[in-house]
Amino acid sequence: MLKHLTRFSSCFVRGTRFVRREAPQVVIVHGIHTPFLLYALLLRRTLPVRICLVLTDPPGIIRHVDGPLARRLKGLDRRLLRRLTRGFDGVIALTPALAADFAPRVPRLILEGFVNPHLATTAAAHRNPDEIHVAYAGGISTEYGVRNLVEAFRTLPDRRLRLDLYGRGTLDGWVVGQCEADARITHHGILPHDALMPHLRAAQVLVNPRPADQLFVKYSFPSKLLEYLALGVPVVSTRLAGIPDDDLVFLQLTVDDSVSALAQALSLMLSDLEAAESRARRAQQYVVEHKSQAVVGARIAAFLSALETRSGATQRGTRQRGRP
């Protein structure tokens, strides 16, 4: 409670001074946090500004470790937040589920992310031409599907195959044991982004193995997917609810979340890498043309401009109806 009060007070004192000085037409709030929402609604009532909410993560997700009291409080918080978000003029959300569940009936723009178009020119790191590399970058944990990926890979008999894992997580110790059991697997740990991209570019296949049956998945979009596609490398992925249809056509999807389904999808892609690489080149061109920073920025600007225009027309209509 104290944290909420101090944050609201800070917004009221410093934020109001800033807004009055800069006179913005739209104020953007990033993330659902009660004091920030309340302050934005106060601004909207007292100053001629529009307010837009950016949703990238869901608040108050109930976990299996939460007790009855925590579950009840989180439920109350979610209901309160939904009431507050209804007062916003627009919402920019990572997935449709985020907008539908936390900002119902608010004008929305769904954006799963954006990519730096310069990724398309990334030079590949040196690789042994006799090896075929399958790579994953992200959290090394069961929740992100790394256990399934390792177990699926180990069922593939081709000795030319290599599995490269980049990242850290709760599954590090287990992965190290798998590396010792199968010399084709390497746990590289964390690399700086600029150092990581050439290694991913040099792989023959990139994998997003995150299981689709977890509650939070419908609210998320793995940012690695857009980077994978921008690199122009074939991608195998589970079918996550947050992946838009226009991205799905460029992926080799698993039929379900099982180890056998992931192994089957890998085998299918590896059986015809030429076709997979052709699809990857089309994917790269698509994301550079439609998901680059400049293009997404223009979409955001147009959305905010429309909010301003819509609200301005509403205000004029209200004044006209109020005339005697």
Side-chain angles (χ1 to χ4, degrees), residues 3-307:
K3 179 174 65 176
H4 282 57
L5 289 174
T6 56
R7 288 182 176 176
F8 180 82
S9 298
S10 178
C11 285
F12 186 80
V13 174
R14 303 182 64 180
T16 303
R17 188 184 308 132
F18 175 84
V19 171
R20 287 187 180 278
R21 183 177 69 247
E22 300 297 330
Q25 295 170 310
V26 180
V27 172
I28 300 174
V29 178
H30 183 273
I32 293 186
H33 187 44
T34 306
F36 298 158
L37 299 186
L38 287 171
Y39 176 68
L41 291 169
L42 177 63
L43 279 180
R44 191 181 188 280
R45 286 180 175 273
T46 57
L47 295 174
V49 298
R50 303 299 97 196
I51 54 176
C52 181
L53 181 62
V54 176
L55 281 174
T56 55
D57 296 291
I61 289 294
I62 295 175
R63 303 172 299 171
H64 68 279
V65 297
D66 290 333
L69 179 59
R71 290 172 180 266
R72 182 172 300 176
L73 290 174
K74 286 184 176 181
L76 290 172
D77 189 49
R78 286 163 72 100
R79 287 194 290 273
L80 171 62
L81 291 171
R82 285 193 184 98
R83 290 182 65 87
L84 295 176
T85 58
R86 289 172 187 167
F88 276 71
D89 298 294
V91 59
I92 300 172
L94 190 69
T95 68
L98 271 174
D101 288 0
F102 298 102
R105 296 184 294 280
V106 177
R108 65 192 59 175
L109 173 64
I110 306 300
L111 292 173
E112 74 274 24
F114 52 84
V115 296
N116 183 339
H118 294 302
L119 283 178
T121 62
T122 300
H126 175 72
R127 284 282 188 266
N128 184 335
D130 296 326
E131 296 174 348
I132 301 172
H133 286 257
V134 176
Y136 163 85
I140 306 297
S141 67
T142 300
E143 291 76 15
Y144 286 168
V146 173
R147 183 184 292 271
N148 283 357
L149 173 57
V150 172
E151 292 179 352
F153 178 84
R154 293 200 63 186
T155 68
L156 305 178
D158 193 333
R159 302 311 300 174
R160 297 173 301 165
L161 290 175
R162 300 291 183 270
L163 176 60
D164 299 300
L165 303 174
Y166 300 92
R168 290 290 186 195
T170 56
L171 214 57
D172 284 338
W174 179 82
V175 169
V176 170
Q178 297 299 303
C179 295
E180 294 172 352
D182 189 335
R184 300 177 301 164
I185 304 172
T186 303
H187 186 351
H188 297 274
I190 296 177
L191 294 182
H193 188 268
D194 290 345
L196 173 62
M197 291 300 106
H199 289 284
L200 297 183
R201 176 64 185 85
Q204 278 72 37
V205 179
L206 299 174
V207 188
N208 170 51
R210 180 180 293 185
D213 62 352
Q214 298 164 335
L215 176 62
F216 71 89
V217 164
K218 68 177 181 177
Y219 299 126
S220 68
F221 177 86
S223 57
K224 68 168 62 68
L225 270 183
L226 287 180
E227 289 194 330
Y228 282 0
L229 295 175
L231 288 169
V233 179
V235 179
V236 168
S237 177
T238 50
R239 184 164 190 158
L240 305 179
I243 302 177
D245 292 342
D246 56 351
D247 292 345
L248 288 175
V249 298
F250 299 116
L251 308 174
Q252 178 67 56
L253 297 170
T254 64
V255 295
D256 55 44
D257 288 350
S258 66
V259 170
S260 60
L262 185 51
Q264 182 181 25
L266 286 169
S267 295
L268 186 61
M269 178 164 279
L270 291 167
S271 68
D272 192 352
L273 277 176
E274 185 175 348
E277 289 166 356
S278 176
R279 178 166 58 176
R281 287 191 293 271
R282 295 195 302 274
Q284 182 183 56
Q285 180 179 358
Y286 175 78
V287 297
V288 168
E289 291 180 354
H290 298 277
K291 306 294 178 76
S292 70
Q293 296 158 323
V295 172
V296 173
R299 290 183 62 192
I300 293 173
F303 179 72
L304 297 177
S305 178
L307 292 182

